[in-house]
């Protein structure tokens, strides 16, 4: 069974600080996706990484896929209160019809 | 972009009754839809994989007789919580991939979830 370990589980920081969320597995994933979820809503896709070593940037968010495609990180620079939410990493296989495996999530709270 | 519509968004029911949740892909066909359950401040736990025209595949520990899944068309899957109990209270979310672009890196499109409260 493929598992994704996500850390930290909770993070409370001040506006302007930087943070990194980690997603690790002993298994290789064909792709890894990061989602952000607001309370009472479904997750919204932030990014998909598919190539080992890949780095993608989305404004103040930087996503990296490990060389061996077993781990990923999300780095937020100069966090803002609007970044508050639940961040989820999810790993995918190359088989159509298979579900994503989700990490346990990181609840981020950014206070002003 | 692809949209998945889930209905209802909130439902309150009495213990012992059944509740049906609908999940529709609005602008694409989905041979496979996924049903997740989420507890407060926790991640999504896969309950079952819904396959159009065939039986759903349930994850270990999920009672198939309690959580009935029907995927009658390429755009609609339903989850029925039968004889609901307070411990079934949770946030249920469906998701689907675009049938026309099923590749290993195609993302899941999520519905907005259904908050079920059983009293």
């Amino acid at each position: 069974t493929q598992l994704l370990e996500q850390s930290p589980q909770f993070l409370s920081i001040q506006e302007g600080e930087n943070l990194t969320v980690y997603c690790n597995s002993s298994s290789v994933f064909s792709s890894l996706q990061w989602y952000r979820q607001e309370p009472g809503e479904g997750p919204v896709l932030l990014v998909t990484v598919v190539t080992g070593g890949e780095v993608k940037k989305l404004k103040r968010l930087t996503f990296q896929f490990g060389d061996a495609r077993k781990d990923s990180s999300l780095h937020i620079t100069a966090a803002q209160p609007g970044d508050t939410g639940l961040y989820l990493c999810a790993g995918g296989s190359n088989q159509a019809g298979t579900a994503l495996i989700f990490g346990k999530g990181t609840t981020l709270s950014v206070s002003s | 972009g692809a949209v998945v519509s889930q209905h209802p968004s909130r439902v309150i029911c009495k213990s012992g009754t059944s509740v049906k949740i609908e999940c529709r892909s609005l602008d694409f066909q989905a041979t496979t839809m996924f049903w997740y359950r989420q507890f407060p401040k926790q991640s999504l736990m896969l309950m079952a994989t819904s396959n159009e025209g065939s039986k759903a595949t349930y994850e270990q520990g999920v009672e198939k007789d309690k959580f009935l899944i029907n995927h009658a068309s390429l755009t609609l899957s339903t989850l029925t919580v039968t004889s609901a109990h307070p411990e079934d209270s949770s946030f249920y979310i469906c998701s689907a991939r675009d049938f026309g672009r099923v590749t290993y890196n195609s993302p899941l499109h999520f519905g907005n979830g259904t908050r079920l409260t059983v009293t």
Side-chain angles (χ1 to χ4, degrees):
Chain A
T1 304
Q2 293 180 309
L3 293 173
L4 273 172
E5 297 292 334
Q6 190 172 341
S7 62
Q9 189 174 356
F10 297 98
L11 194 54
S12 182
I13 62 173
Q14 295 289 320
E15 181 176 4
E17 292 184 31
N18 302 330
L19 67 114
T20 302
V21 178
Y22 300 93
C23 189
N24 298 290
S25 175
S26 58
S27 303
V28 175
F29 287 97
S30 299
S31 66
L32 201 135
Q33 297 166 357
W34 286 91
Y35 292 83
R36 178 167 170 264
Q37 186 182 20
E38 301 261 8
E41 298 181 8
V44 175
L45 179 69
L46 295 175
V47 78
T48 300
V49 285
V50 299
T51 305
E54 182 176 5
V55 177
K56 283 192 174 180
K57 291 191 175 184
L58 183 66
K59 296 184 180 179
R60 293 177 293 101
L61 278 60
T62 301
F63 304 86
Q64 186 165 5
F65 202 12
D67 291 340
R69 289 185 290 136
K70 292 182 178 181
D71 57 270
S72 180
S73 64
L74 157 61
H75 183 79
I76 301 179
T77 303
Q80 299 176 3
D83 295 327
T84 294
L86 176 65
Y87 289 82
L88 298 158
C89 65
S93 77
N94 59 0
Q95 293 181 344
T98 57
L100 291 178
I101 305 300
F102 280 87
K104 289 190 175 182
T106 296
T107 299
L108 172 64
S109 175
V110 183
S111 54
S112 57
Chain B
V3 176
V4 173
S5 175
Q6 190 172 339
H7 179 80
S9 59
R10 289 178 179 270
V11 58
I12 301 173
C13 70
K14 292 185 177 180
S15 185
T17 61
S18 296
V19 173
K20 180 184 285 188
I21 302 170
E22 293 188 348
C23 181
R24 294 179 185 274
S25 55
L26 297 185
D27 56 358
F28 67 100
Q29 293 180 322
T31 54
T32 304
M33 291 186 176
F34 306 98
W35 287 95
Y36 291 86
R37 182 175 181 175
Q38 185 178 35
F39 291 104
K41 295 189 177 181
Q42 293 188 22
S43 187
L44 281 69
M45 297 298 297
L46 180 66
M47 297 177 65
T49 301
S50 172
N51 303 298
E52 186 267 335
S54 65
K55 292 182 178 180
T57 304
Y58 290 82
E59 295 299 300
Q60 190 173 9
V62 178
E63 299 176 58
K64 61 181 181 181
D65 294 330
K66 181 168 187 61
F67 299 100
L68 300 179
I69 291 173
N70 184 277
H71 195 152
S73 76
L74 285 171
T75 59
L76 174 64
S77 175
T78 60
L79 167 67
T80 300
V81 183
T82 63
S83 186
H85 290 286
E87 57 264 32
D88 298 324
S89 298
S90 189
F91 193 54
Y92 294 87
I93 309 176
C94 70
S95 65
R97 277 197 175 101
D98 188 337
F99 176 70
R101 295 187 294 117
V102 175
T103 63
Y104 65 89
N105 60 348
S106 59
L108 283 182
H109 301 284
F110 285 88
N112 272 335
T114 297
R115 171 70 61 193
L116 170 64
T117 303
V118 184
T119 61

